[in-house]
Amino acid sequence: MSKKHFAVIGHPIGHTMSPFIHRELFRLNGIDGEYTTEDIQPDALDREIPRLLRELDGFNVTIPYKSAVIPYLDSIEGVAEEYGSVNTVRCADRSGRTTDPTGFVRALGAAGIELSGEVCVLGAGGVSRVFAGEAARAGCEVTFGVLESDKASAERIIEDIRKHHPEFRANVKDIGGLEGGYDLLINATPVGMYPRTNAMPVAKEVLGRSKAVFDAVYNPENTELIKSARELGCKAQGGMPMLVWQAAAAQEIWLGVKFESEEVVKVITSATEYMNENFRGN
């Protein structure tokens, strides 16, 4: 098999775990693969995206181009159209998909956390749309906990989800006024991310009245939110498993490979160790 070439695009690309994670996943299936980073200026998209489509076997897309890449593709598949977001491009057929929902659902399953009942999503950014959309697909009722400045964004997300899931039950509350009682609380904000690791997006009392917590932040491995949730007896999962599972799903699209859960768990462990050594996560 000839060498395969992949990349992740974004701006600014900064420190990214993607090259390490994909190299580890390539190794599991004996793939001779190269994975690089492409920091692309916004005014260079018209030149750079066509070049990447010609030169690469596939690429991932991160902030701020998950929507901007869509006009350059021939097709959008799966739930990418529903979310208006593409994070995985297969160059052979110029198709786009999103593996974020797969990563999220697989990460919850690996932690024994059910996506059911009453769910609270903290924040109203792009990843909040994915979390709320998957909750809607599972028949959950969703409360958005947001700052006053983000309430309009949360309402727009609800409207967009109802176009695909008309029965979606959702409401918006001030993040400081949340009381808890959720089957699953999801942090989709950057609060608690390195280097400001002492912060939590909600009070401990909210966690104490909730059953499970998922924190999309992966650096550090154990955020204050995760540590507090576990101290209070909640099931809790950080963001690294989602990051690795969405990468594995991308390789399944690019290469037609499959991954066993046990294999992915080992990559999650090695990726966490690599992050702690190189990005001072803990």
Side-chain angles (χ1 to χ4, degrees), residues 4-127:
K4 302 292 184 180
H5 299 274
F6 304 94
V8 57
I9 71 167
H11 179 72
I13 204 69
H15 294 297
T16 173
M17 288 292 300
S18 292
F20 177 85
I21 291 170
H22 279 281
R23 286 195 296 267
E24 291 292 289
L25 293 170
F26 288 146
R27 185 175 53 78
L28 289 176
N29 286 298
I31 302 296
D32 184 9
E34 176 186 61
Y35 192 100
T36 57
T37 60
E38 294 274 350
D39 191 331
I40 299 176
Q41 296 284 341
D43 60 2
L45 283 177
D46 284 345
R47 178 180 69 254
E48 294 300 313
I49 298 297
R51 176 183 67 81
L52 295 176
L53 286 167
R54 291 192 307 269
E55 295 179 359
L56 299 179
D57 293 286
F59 58 91
N60 290 129
V61 186
T62 189
I63 295 172
Y65 299 136
K66 289 187 176 184
S67 295
V69 72
I70 292 175
Y72 298 93
L73 305 176
D74 290 344
S75 64
I76 306 298
E77 301 181 15
V79 295
E81 183 175 5
E82 177 179 333
Y83 291 128
S85 175
V86 163
N87 81 335
T88 300
V89 173
R90 187 169 61 191
C91 296
D93 58 2
R94 300 169 63 96
S95 64
R97 299 170 179 79
T98 178
T99 64
D100 286 334
T102 302
F104 170 56
V105 172
R106 289 183 182 178
L108 289 183
I113 297 174
E114 293 186 12
L115 186 58
S116 62
E118 296 186 22
V119 174
C120 180
V121 176
L122 306 178
V127 73

Side-chain angles (χ1 to χ4, degrees), residues 92-212:
D93 58 2
R94 300 169 63 96
S95 64
R97 299 170 179 79
T98 178
T99 64
D100 286 334
T102 302
F104 170 56
V105 172
R106 289 183 182 178
L108 289 183
I113 297 174
E114 293 186 12
L115 186 58
S116 62
E118 296 186 22
V119 174
C120 180
V121 176
L122 306 178
V127 73
S128 301
R129 184 182 299 268
V130 170
F131 295 149
E134 291 307 298
R137 197 182 311 282
C140 303
E141 180 176 350
V142 173
T143 295
F144 284 88
V146 298
L147 300 173
E148 180 67 32
S149 58
D150 290 329
K151 285 186 176 180
S153 295
E155 293 288 358
R156 283 195 296 272
I157 291 174
I158 292 171
E159 290 177 11
D160 289 344
I161 291 175
R162 283 182 177 152
K163 294 175 184 176
H164 300 273
H165 306 279
E167 303 302 317
F168 179 45
R169 296 164 296 155
N171 63 90
V172 181
K173 291 185 179 180
D174 184 278
I175 195 169
L178 296 173
E179 296 180 352
Y182 304 109
D183 294 291
L184 174 60
L185 183 142
I186 303 170
N187 180 32
T189 79
V191 176
M193 182 185 297
Y194 177 83
R196 297 172 182 169
T197 59
N198 293 325
M200 284 212 315
V202 293
K204 283 189 177 182
E205 290 74 19
V206 178
L207 302 180
R209 291 189 287 269
S210 299
K211 294 180 182 178

